[in-house]
């Protein structure tokens, strides 16, 4: 009798286990459905479903690589959002690296998003310009603005691959880099406290120990970053994190900046640490040079990490709101004076690019007396590259501005104020363009 009772109990236990497993599977499916419903865009016939990745962008199993692990998917979420139940919204998922029209004045330029992915696209834009102007195979005759207008599709793709691999190689301490692509099947079965997004769970990782191999691999799979529906910006961001590794990122960050994105007005936007990671290979939270042991004159419990080395492309920052609150961060020379005359500009929380076609601008002080800078803000409304002439020997801009009307933005355009953080007191001529920013 006792043996029969024990057998009945085992059967009941097995039945309960099967029911729980069924609920678990249903729950996973429901989470995926909830995600699609939650982030679906307004009805629009031209837009793909938010989780749909075209089949041609899904890699073949024969390509090899390493499938993502449950621990890595959780770590990716935590280092990005601070938790495992946040996911990228539709605006992020639809972001990719799209060039402007061929045979136009902006053939070299990427069209960037106004949302959270915009700063990432703009750092890549700065590196694209660097490659097209200064590291092209035949760069001796290409250092003109006009030459950027003659860039063909293959040159666009080669420059994009080089730009992406630049940041990944720096993140991997110039020893290795990892590229993430999307596989056909799920690589993991996530826990119940993890929200499915239907592509992170399909990541396949490819690690390389030579930079040229990274660049070639990205170029061979460039459609996974530049085609609609590819989730190209997110794939690049995952590649960046995997190249740096989560452990190194935790060392880079501090207690006030424990993850790379933060929520603002309903969208996840980039912290300064992510911009620094893209520019320098390290996710340090601050823009000053080196390490600071004081904050507002008082010792800090943990040293504040700034920028440790000169970057290839630079960074300038200006914010009218921060200026009025006397809290404008002082960008150090490591970012202000890069190896190439290309700067990512964060102006009133929006990113854009300034560049010169003359590399000597940063090595010959005589070149800084009077020179041209070219400006691109990434928006589709900009049809031509803006040319600004900068005069560092005239110091009458403040006096002249008193004759303007009372609008401070018209008296001191934010773009001009940004340039003056690098060239103090400079006079800027907009060359018949109506001033903006």
């Amino acid at each position: 009798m006792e043996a029969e009772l024990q057998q009945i109990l085992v059967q009941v236990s097995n039945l309960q286990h099967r029911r729980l497993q069924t609920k678990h599977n249903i729950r996973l499916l429901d989470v995926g459905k909830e995600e699609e419903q939650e982030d679906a865009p307004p009805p629009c016939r031209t837009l793909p479903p938010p989780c749909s990745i075209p089949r041609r962008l899904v890699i073949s199993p024969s390509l090899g690589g390493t499938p993502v692990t449950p621990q890595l998917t959780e770590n990716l979420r935590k280092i990005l959002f601070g938790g495992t139940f946040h996911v990228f919204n539709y605006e992020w998922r639809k972001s990719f690296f799209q060039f402007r029209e061929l045979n136009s004045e902006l053939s070299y330029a990427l069209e960037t998003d106004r949302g959270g992915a915009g700063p990432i696209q703009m750092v890549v834009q700065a590196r694209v310009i660097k490659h097209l102007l200064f590291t092209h195979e035949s760069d001796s005759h290409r250092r003109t603005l006009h030459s950027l207008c003659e860039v063909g599709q293959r040159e666009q793709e080669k420059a994009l691959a080089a730009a992406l691999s630049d940041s990944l190689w720096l993140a991997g301490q110039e020893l290795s880099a990892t590229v993430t692509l999307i596989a056909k099947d799920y690589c993991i079965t996530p826990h119940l406290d993890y929200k499915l997004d239907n592509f992170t769970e399909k990541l396949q990782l490819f690690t390389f120990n030579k930079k040229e191999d990274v660049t070639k691999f990205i170029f061979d799979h460039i459609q996974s970053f530049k085609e609609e529906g590819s989730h190209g910006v997110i794939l690049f961001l995952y590649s960046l994190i995997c190249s740096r590794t989560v452990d190194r990122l935790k060392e880079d960050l501090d207690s006030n900046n424990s993850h790379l994105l933060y929520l603002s007005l309903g969208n996840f936007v980039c912290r300064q640490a992510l911009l620094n990671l893209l520019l320098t290979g390290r996710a340090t939270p601050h823009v000053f040079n080196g390490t600071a042991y004081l904050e507002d004159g008082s010792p800090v419990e943990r040293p504040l990490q700034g920028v440790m080395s000169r970057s290839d492309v630079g960074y300038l920052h200006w914010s009218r709101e921060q200026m009025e609150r006397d809290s404008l961060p002082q960008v150090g020379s490591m970012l202000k004076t890069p190896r190439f005359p290309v700067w990512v500009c964060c102006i009133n929380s929006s990113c854009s690019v300034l560049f010169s076609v003359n590399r000597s601008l940063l090595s010959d002080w005589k070149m800084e007396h009077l020179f041209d800078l070219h400006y691109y803000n990434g928006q589709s409304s900009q049809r031509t590259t803006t040319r600004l002439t900068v005069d560092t020997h005239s110091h009458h801009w403040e006096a002249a501005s008193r004759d303007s009307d009372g609008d401070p933005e018209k008296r001191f355009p934010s773009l001009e104020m940004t340039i003056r953080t690098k060239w103090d007191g400079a006079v800027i001529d907009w060359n018949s363009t109506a001033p903006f920013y």
Side-chain angles (χ1 to χ4, degrees), residues 98-112 114 145 148-149 375-387 433 436:
Q98 179 180 22
F99 280 93
R100 302 289 289 266
E101 302 85 356
L102 287 170
N103 303 313
S104 72
E105 290 192 39
L106 294 172
S107 294
Y108 70 91
L110 295 170
E111 187 166 329
T112 62
R114 293 183 180 274
L145 184 65
L148 293 179
C149 305
Y375 180 75
Y376 175 63
N377 66 14
Q379 302 304 316
S380 57
S381 57
Q382 185 174 355
R383 307 307 302 175
T384 62
T385 306
T386 301
R387 181 173 67 90
T433 299
F436 50 91

Side-chain angles (χ1 to χ4, degrees), residues 327-367:
S327 61
L328 189 68
Q330 299 301 306
V331 179
S333 60
M334 296 292 189
L335 289 174
K336 277 187 181 179
T337 309
R339 295 187 183 92
F340 298 90
V342 185
W343 292 266
V344 176
C345 300
C346 183
I347 307 175
N348 298 324
S349 300
S350 179
C351 283
S352 49
V353 172
L354 272 172
F355 63 96
S356 169
V357 298
N358 182 8
R359 186 174 180 180
S360 299
L361 179 64
L362 296 173
S363 57
D364 185 349
W365 61 271
K366 295 188 293 296
M367 296 293 177

Side-chain angles (χ1 to χ4, degrees), residues 69-111:
T69 63
Q71 183 178 6
L72 180 55
T73 58
E74 292 178 14
N75 285 339
L76 287 171
R77 291 278 178 84
K78 289 176 182 177
I79 205 69
L80 283 167
F81 307 109
T84 59
F85 229 75
H86 291 297
V87 295
F88 285 108
N89 62 13
Y90 177 75
E91 292 300 316
W92 272 91
R93 293 180 197 174
K94 73 179 181 65
S95 297
F96 56 105
F97 298 102
Q98 179 180 22
F99 280 93
R100 302 289 289 266
E101 302 85 356
L102 287 170
N103 303 313
S104 72
E105 290 192 39
L106 294 172
S107 294
Y108 70 91
L110 295 170
E111 187 166 329

